[in-house]
Amino acid sequence: MIFTTGSLLLAAQLVAASALPPLGYERKLLKEALASRDVSGISCSDGPAPKASAPKTNVWAPITPNDNRAVWDYLYDPATGLNLTHPDNATASDNYVFWIDTIHSNKSAVLPYIDGDGPLPPKYARVVIFEGGKAEPNSQEYMVGPLPVSNTTTIQPYDYPFNGGSGGSVPFNARYVDSVKTALTEPLMAELMTNVSDITQALFNASYLGSSNENTTLTSTAGTPVSFDGTQQFRNIMFRLPGVASYLTPIDFFLLINCPGTDPSQFSLKGFVTGSQFYETEEALRTAFEAGELAQEFEHDTESGWPIVDYKPELGSRPYDDQFAPTSIELGGKRYAVDAKERYVEYMGWSWYWSESRLYGVTFYDIKFKGERILYELSMQEAMAQYAGNQPKAANTVYHDTYYSLGTDIATLIEGFDVPLGSSCFNISYNELNGTTINQDAMCIFETDSGYPLSRHRYGGGNTSYPFTSLGVVKGSALTTRTIATVGNYDYMFDVSMHVDASIEITVRASGYLQSSFYYPDQGRFGPRIQQATQGSLHDHIINYKADFDVLGTSNSLQVSELVTVNVTQPWFPELGSFPQMEMNTSMMSTEQQWNWAPNNNAMYVVLNQNETNAWGEPRGYRLVPGRSDIHLTILDSPWSLKNSEFAKSHLAVTKQHDTEPYSNSWQNINLPSKPQHDFSKFFNDESIEQEDLVVWFNLGMHHYTRSEDIPVTLFTEAASSIVFAPQNFFDRAQDGDLKNRRWIVVDQSTEEGALEYEDYGVALPQCMVAPTEPVLEVSPTVNYEFEAEL
Ligand SMILES: *[C@@H]1O[C@H](CO)[C@@H](O)[C@H](O)[C@H]1NC(C)=O
Ligand SMILES: *[C@@H]1O[C@H](CO)[C@@H](O)[C@H](O)[C@H]1NC(C)=O
Ligand SMILES: *[C@@H]1O[C@H](CO)[C@@H](O)[C@H](O)[C@H]1NC(C)=O
Ligand SMILES: *[C@@H]1O[C@H](CO)[C@@H](O)[C@H](O)[C@H]1NC(C)=O
Ligand SMILES: *[C@@H]1O[C@H](CO)[C@@H](O)[C@H](O)[C@H]1NC(C)=O
Ligand SMILES: *[C@@H]1O[C@H](CO)[C@@H](O)[C@H](O)[C@H]1NC(C)=O
Ligand SMILES: *[C@@H]1O[C@H](CO)[C@@H](O)[C@H](O)[C@H]1NC(C)=O
Ligand SMILES: *[C@@H]1O[C@H](CO)[C@@H](O)[C@H](O)[C@H]1NC(C)=O
Ligand SMILES: *[C@@H]1O[C@H](CO)[C@@H](O)[C@H](O)[C@H]1NC(C)=O
Ligand SMILES: *[C@@H]1O[C@H](CO)[C@@H](O)[C@H](O)[C@H]1NC(C)=O
Ligand SMILES: *[C@@H]1O[C@H](CO)[C@@H](O)[C@H](O)[C@H]1NC(C)=O
Ligand SMILES: *[C@@H]1O[C@H](CO)[C@@H](O)[C@H](O)[C@H]1NC(C)=O
Ligand SMILES: [Cu+2]
């Protein structure tokens, strides 16, 4: 059977393609495949989603490309007095724009607009200017608006979202290490490594002579943090064999330098590390080398192609694997409607808006079910990773991926593989200088079968007083919005799924290359050997999210129902005397706090509105249901993640919503562990959270216990984490009764032939999936099957 020819063609082409395609290759294939798609009535899933019409303008939308260009020109107009240099020509001692994004709109300005006839809130650009030209060089964030640029537009420091004491300002030593700063450190690095190239050549048959030297045979990498409090800057540089998978072929050689400020003459060597020894000078290293103390026992296999994600025939073959694997297809056509212009979706009672940004990727707003608001905002806030190891790179590495503008790394999804055939895909854009870069088809929306029925029950049987067997079963389906951000080595897959029973599931998965270590036989405590000369480095992933609940308005409380064991006596069990039973100890959390899931899940957490009750008088709410791998950071007092990563240190947190607290982290916080620009723990100042506007912050993630199956890349099946928000007395009953995708079957067993009633509510398997040239598939669910056995 042929479903969507173009997609299958695309799939086949991609499987055939080996190695890493040049940038834009998938996009080209996708275009060609879509253009050649045979749409002659073969597939029910052809055709775009029906058009929805958003009730309001999307107030969270990213600033437009025109606004970006106008802001750029406005900033670069000498009249502003910003004294900016174009980035192409900038040195560390110049002022230049680093990036432009969109300012988070104040909720206090948005609600009157979306819920009433308040004015459309003004739009502002978020601008980062690297100000090396100042007497005290720094990086400063600004808000520029209102937009579009007019004579009322102003530029003001964007200070209010950051609580560390310096607002939107970050000291020069802690700002993002861009190509300008890297260029300053490169000469020292090249000279130091050239001076020891005879040693690296002898030990590793490779050397680093400078990034652009034709004879350089090593790549270098240095992570974050590069500073503790902005008064110093260092780089702990690891060297690797080059290639597509250089992350997996590090060598046992590290260069540590100090490089504070803008003046390279102040930069210096801190030392070299190899064989788990620290050499403060070239001389010390050379002495050890000449004494024969630096022999290398293991060597990377650079020949056999093991690190590449292509077909590996040496693993054998599996029966039937030459057939196309089962796939999810929207046979009856799409069951959701989209307003692409306003970034608005409607699905089975749900509605929401989305936006996108350079820092946070795709974010969700005004999530309603059957017209009632559940969440005002749902957004990923930070993707963090912290490593461990007895070598300077692993021991030092903490990543906050907003630092790398995670939203710019969200690229084209491959239909049929990354997302089901026929998914609705949308471009994701970001601003770069005065232009806007489009990542085509980088966010996809698709509905899938849940893989299990939503609900079912079979009742009766036998020839008794109820001589029938009845069975009701409801189909489970969900609409998922998916993006994948490839931030350097890792591919993070972000899913938000709206289920038809009014629950929301948020899932993050990780694949891609491990940041690995050279293999040290005596250091299995940091992970196993996973290749000839590679050790998988132990690390944590913590993905922080913001869930601004508005359960029927902004007056919400957080109810805790703890399971407790109590001794009871019951007069009808005199023989037991006192015996233990469980019951719920229910209370409202009174103040803002960070807390963890209860051991054995012995507590239920519900965000509810005490003033809104269902038909049974119960307060209407949404429960936080733990999913898979709900963890927090293991180390709570590491010098590398001391006070800049407080968001990662508990499973959950709840705060009162403030316009001045839109983010849990700051994207440049990573380089300020002991003097944070923004300290999440300061959110918790004992404000009351009873019938207030609440924000729940939660972490997903994984303790990455590395394994040889992380070669070539980590597998999404295991590296996954999730949470569910499920209605808890929000309705009067389950939200499955009104779904017609169900069957109701009754067999009358009082008669010999077992007369059958089979109700499909008019929703049958469509016939149009069959290609005209293929034999017609006989499926007609409304006929009376002979039911002989029990159902
Ligand atoms: C960079 O500087 C050169 C020399 O001053 C100048 O000609 C050029 O226009 C500048 N480039 C940009 C993008 O401003
Ligand atoms: C403007 O910036 C340059 C560096 O790009 C600096 O040398 C100069 O002093 C600055 N001018 C003023 C007026 O601040
Ligand atoms: C948001 O609210 C804060 C606090 O009232 C205010 O300082 C800021 O200017 C507002 N931001 C925008 C974008 O309107
Ligand atoms: C701003 O521009 C508008 C129209 O473009 C004009 O009417 C108004 O006088 C201007 N205001 C100022 C302060 O220049
Ligand atoms: C590199 O070696 C040369 C020659 O020995 C020496 O003069 C120079 O100081 C060394 N460079 C560094 C950065 O140590
Ligand atoms: C050393 O590396 C070169 C390429 O840089 C390679 O041609 C040569 O075979 C290598 N030697 C050994 C002994 O591996
Ligand atoms: C690279 O090595 C070759 C062969 O040793 C040499 O001729 C050439 O000058 C080297 N290039 C550089 C930039 O050092
Ligand atoms: C962006 O700036 C460059 C100069 O740096 C200019 O050549 C180009 O036309 C500008 N693009 C737009 C869309 O304004
Ligand atoms: C998506 O991006 C492609 C390529 O840049 C462009 O041709 C297309 O018009 C964009 N689609 C929308 C809906 O903007
Ligand atoms: C229940 O009674 C048992 C036996 O007297 C006692 O050990 C236990 O502590 C009691 N548990 C509670 C929760 O009171
Ligand atoms: C919520 O309920 C309390 C007590 O029943 C009442 O005092 C309060 O006015 C109500 N608030 C709202 C916003 O309805
Ligand atoms: C149930 O009872 C009816 C009437 O007594 C009988 O005809 C029938 O065969 C029985 N059915 C089964 C499944 O035993
Ligand atoms: Cu990992």
Side-chain angles (χ1 to χ4, degrees), residues 712-759:
V713 291
T714 294
L715 302 168
F716 280 133
T717 41
E718 181 257 356
S721 177
S722 63
I723 192 172
V724 170
F725 301 150
Q728 183 73 20
N729 306 319
F730 187 86
F731 305 102
D732 304 335
R733 51 168 143 161
Q735 295 299 293
D736 59 355
D738 55 346
L739 295 170
K740 290 196 196 115
N741 270 266
R742 66 197 307 135
R743 294 295 181 260
W744 171 245
I745 301 162
V746 180
V747 182
D748 181 351
Q749 291 181 321
S750 66
T751 61
E752 190 78 41
E753 54 286 2
L756 176 81
E757 185 195 322
Y758 188 101
E759 182 57 68

Side-chain angles (χ1 to χ4, degrees), residues 115-127:
D115 288 340
D117 43 24
L120 189 68
K123 230 48 241 154
Y124 287 84
R126 180 173 180 178
V127 178

Side-chain angles (χ1 to χ4, degrees), residues 571-599:
W572 42 87
F573 294 137
E575 67 277 22
L576 293 181
S578 169
F579 66 95
Q581 242 205 170
M582 70 169 176
E583 58 183 45
M584 281 191 287
N585 194 346
T586 298
S587 61
M588 296 294 167
M589 242 180 218
S590 58
T591 54
E592 298 180 308
Q593 55 195 278
Q594 291 185 268
W595 85 101
N596 290 330
W597 295 110

Side-chain angles (χ1 to χ4, degrees), residues 7 61 86 104 126 141-142 154 230 254 257 325 365 406 426 495 500 532 691 715 773 789:
S7 305
H86 192 279
H104 185 273
R126 180 173 180 178
E141 294 206 33
Y142 293 96
T154 61
F254 306 85
I257 59 171
Y365 298 92
L406 174 146
F426 302 88
D495 285 1
V500 287
Q532 209 161 280
Q691 290 304 91
L715 302 168
T773 51

Side-chain angles (χ1 to χ4, degrees), residues 560-582:
V560 184
S561 300
E562 211 185 328
L563 295 182
V564 288
T565 309
V566 290
N567 289 330
V568 297
T569 56
Q570 293 180 345
W572 42 87
F573 294 137
E575 67 277 22
L576 293 181
S578 169
F579 66 95
Q581 242 205 170
M582 70 169 176

Side-chain angles (χ1 to χ4, degrees), residues 298-316:
F298 302 95
E299 207 178 305
H300 284 297
D301 167 8
T302 54
E303 296 300 320
S304 65
W306 57 270
I308 298 168
V309 192
D310 62 357
Y311 180 54
K312 301 278 186 259
E314 67 271 23
L315 284 182

Side-chain angles (χ1 to χ4, degrees), residues 376-439:
Y376 170 79
E377 177 185 350
L378 175 63
S379 54
M380 199 281 309
Q381 291 286 306
E382 191 53 86
M384 172 177 180
Q386 178 157 17
Y387 290 73
N390 186 32
Q391 43 101 331
K393 169 77 167 140
N396 152 223
T397 298
V398 182
Y399 293 127
H400 286 179
D401 282 348
T402 59
Y403 179 79
Y404 301 101
S405 287
L406 174 146
T408 66
D409 297 324
I410 294 174
T412 306
L413 295 173
I414 305 305
E415 200 187 353
F417 290 83
D418 285 328
V419 291
L421 300 169
S423 296
S424 301
C425 298
F426 302 88
N427 295 343
I428 296 291
S429 307
Y430 63 93
N431 304 313
E432 193 69 65
L433 309 179
N434 61 350
T436 299
T437 302
I438 297 174
N439 280 319

Side-chain angles (χ1 to χ4, degrees), residues 385 387 489-490 492 510-515 537-541 702-706 710 714 719:
Y387 290 73
N489 55 322
Y490 255 63
Y492 285 109
S511 189
Y513 290 126
L514 283 182
Q515 178 180 296
S537 285
L538 179 66
H539 58 279
D540 278 348
H541 295 272
M702 314 110 205
H703 300 301
H704 200 149
Y705 304 103
T706 58
D710 284 313
T714 294

